[in-house]
Amino acid sequence: STSGRNAVVIDMALAARGRGIRVIGITALAYAREVTSRHPSGHKLPDLCEIVIDNGAPYGDAAVEIPGFPQKTGPLSTLTGVAIVNAIVAETVARLVAAKVVPPVFMSANVDGGDAHNATQLAANAHRIHYMN
């Protein structure tokens, strides 16, 4: 949640905390500081996270000013969110490999052998994928 203010994300964070789950959030700290919460508790996402990853988006999550247009456009949070999540995935894979664990990672289906590799991964992990059971 870039603004960190919306009720659904606050409800999710509260529910996770209530179950003893660590909450890690990706949000824009500068943005969250400028807005009020939309949740009855008054909390915002950064208040409920053990780890906060700042996506760096500005207030309003837009970066491009268009002359003659009253508001900025060009949201940044989608791009920074994707980059952050993919960096976390790459680091997780690197750490697992360093620990001699082979992570179940899909290959692009657009490379030779990709479909077969992915089918093997799905079969080996079907017990962990709820919609396959």
Side-chain angles (χ1 to χ4, degrees):
S1 172
T2 295
S3 69
R5 72 185 299 203
N6 291 313
V8 171
V9 74
I10 304 303
D11 283 341
M12 295 285 293
L14 289 168
R17 287 174 62 105
R19 292 184 172 155
I21 299 169
R22 289 181 74 191
V23 177
I24 300 170
I26 299 174
T27 191
L29 290 173
Y31 192 163
R33 281 192 281 272
E34 297 292 323
V35 296
T36 58
S37 175
R38 290 183 172 162
H39 193 270
S41 70
H43 288 301
K44 292 185 268 184
L45 182 60
D47 304 333
L48 301 170
C49 295
E50 283 78 20
I51 297 173
V52 175
I53 300 170
D54 188 356
N55 69 18
Y59 176 78
D61 190 22
V64 179
E65 292 184 39
I66 307 294
F69 190 67
Q71 66 194 49
K72 290 182 181 179
T73 188
L76 298 174
S77 64
T78 302
L79 295 173
T80 58
V82 167
I84 289 165
V85 169
N86 282 321
I88 290 169
V89 169
E91 181 63 22
T92 300
V93 170
R95 289 180 184 213
L96 288 169
V97 170
K100 308 285 189 242
V101 175
V102 178
V105 176
F106 286 130
M107 291 176 72
S108 171
N110 294 313
V111 299
D112 292 337
D115 286 333
H117 172 83
N118 295 343
T120 300
Q121 291 296 324
L122 285 171
N125 292 283
H127 65 285
R128 299 166 58 194
I129 305 170
H130 69 87
Y131 63 84
M132 291 186 69
N133 296 317

